[in-house]
Amino acid sequence: MATKTSSPCPENKQDWLDCLKASGYRLTSPRRAVVETLANSQRALNATEIYDLAREQYPSLGLVSVYRTLEKLEQLELIQRVHHPDGCQAFIAGFTGHQHLLICQSCGKAEFFEGDNLEMLFERVAQESGYQIQEHWLQFFGFCSKCRTDKD
Amino acid sequence: MATKTSSPCPENKQDWLDCLKASGYRLTSPRRAVVETLANSQRALNATEIYDLAREQYPSLGLVSVYRTLEKLEQLELIQRVHHPDGCQAFIAGFTGHQHLLICQSCGKAEFFEGDNLEMLFERVAQESGYQIQEHWLQFFGFCSKCRTDKD
DNA sequence: TTCGTATTGAAACTGATTTTCAATATCATT
DNA sequence: AATGATATTGAAAATCAGTTTCAATACGAA
Ligand SMILES: [Mn+2]
Ligand SMILES: [Mn+2]
Ligand SMILES: [Zn+2]
Ligand SMILES: [Zn+2]
């Protein structure tokens, strides 16, 4: 029985490299470093965080290449931007299908969940407002089990 | 019978000025201009948009004063920041109680709605993920009745 | 009306992101 | 494996939104 929540890490970061390759991009060390860093992360990272983490393995990496790689990964929908009260320039591994984010307010750890059923609400709001509803954003914030334990 | 959706404009922009006054701030022309502009707007506006609109009535207004006034209005919870795929620095008149935004993807017109009932989903996701859920973001995007008509 | 000071707009500054550019690395082709 | 066209690179310069500084001004309590 499959769980309804899932970690953002993709099964295989090779998929990302394959996808970049298939889209006509070259596989370079800077790109590998960024992919590696993001694909291994349990939480959303911004450009500088990726830069700092990736340089531990690949010190000559330039910040500009991080920005350029993020741009491509986002276009290919391998990653997605995460909006947060503290900022909206962090990225996390994307997931297919209809999923939403659950984010730890303490450590930032993110998971995806699915199974929100908002059809009834869509209809009621559409009725009352006259809007034709096309998209929705839903995001939960809380404390992950680890951070709850640490608080004690 | 009260509708469950409502326009973001406050009944009376004088309320905002009173609130600023009550908080120890002086009522100045730049502040009045920003309040006027935001309180009259049906959609979220960023600093530059407010600056441009407000200067039509008050040409000597400085952009710095827009930023400074926004900061105060946000602290007083008279306005709130609106996150959007195209940017997250726009503000709209705030509302009390538990409400969420419905935004037109064409003209930006915003309304608030209430009555989302996510308790069951909170519990299920909390159970499956181990997270203690504290907050949620919910936002709808679509086309307002006017923009739907205009498309025909 | 007076007067202390909160507020102002211009200019300088900051930090994040983008652009430019010459040097380099990738990879399809030989 | 070697070649060569060119996509990609990092450094430096440029841009952009937002913030800080500061002397001049406007608010509003007295
Ligand atoms: Mn959903
Ligand atoms: Mn809600
Ligand atoms: Zn946590
Ligand atoms: Zn509209």
Side-chain angles (χ1 to χ4, degrees), chain A residues 26 28 31 60-62 65 68:
Chain A
R26 293 183 181 175
T28 66
R31 285 179 183 158
S60 65
L61 175 67
S65 291
R68 287 189 282 224

Side-chain angles (χ1 to χ4, degrees), chain A residues 27-58:
Chain A
L27 298 188
T28 66
S29 298
R31 285 179 183 158
R32 286 174 199 277
V34 171
V35 163
E36 182 90 12
T37 303
L38 259 174
N40 285 339
S41 179
Q42 292 273 76
R43 63 186 201 84
L45 302 172
N46 66 30
T48 312
E49 290 170 327
I50 294 167
Y51 177 67
D52 290 337
L53 285 168
R55 274 165 62 95
E56 290 174 7
Q57 306 301 322
Y58 184 70

Side-chain angles (χ1 to χ4, degrees), chain A residues 131-145:
Chain A
Y131 280 56
Q132 180 175 32
I133 295 171
Q134 301 277 8
E135 312 268 347
H136 65 284
W137 272 4
L138 178 62
Q139 204 159 284
F140 290 175
F141 299 93
F143 295 101
C144 74
S145 50

Side-chain angles (χ1 to χ4, degrees), chain A residues 104 106-109 143-144 146-147:
Chain A
C104 178
S106 173
C107 71
K109 185 181 177 212
F143 295 101
C144 74
K146 180 166 183 309
C147 288

Side-chain angles (χ1 to χ4, degrees), chain B residues 48-105:
Chain B
T48 311
E49 290 169 328
I50 294 167
Y51 177 67
D52 290 337
L53 285 168
R55 272 165 63 94
E56 291 174 8
Q57 305 301 322
Y58 184 70
S60 65
L61 175 67
L63 180 56
V64 196
S65 291
V66 176
Y67 282 110
R68 288 190 282 225
T69 304
L70 286 176
E71 190 179 15
K72 287 170 181 58
L73 294 174
E74 189 182 21
Q75 274 166 4
L76 296 172
E77 297 184 68
L78 296 171
I79 61 173
Q80 60 184 64
R81 184 179 298 268
V82 175
H83 295 258
H84 191 275
D86 293 335
C88 305
Q89 8 323 124
F91 291 89
I92 199 166
F95 245 64
T96 54
H98 185 153
Q99 309 210 35
H100 297 284
L101 276 174
L102 166 59
I103 299 170
C104 178
Q105 290 170 318

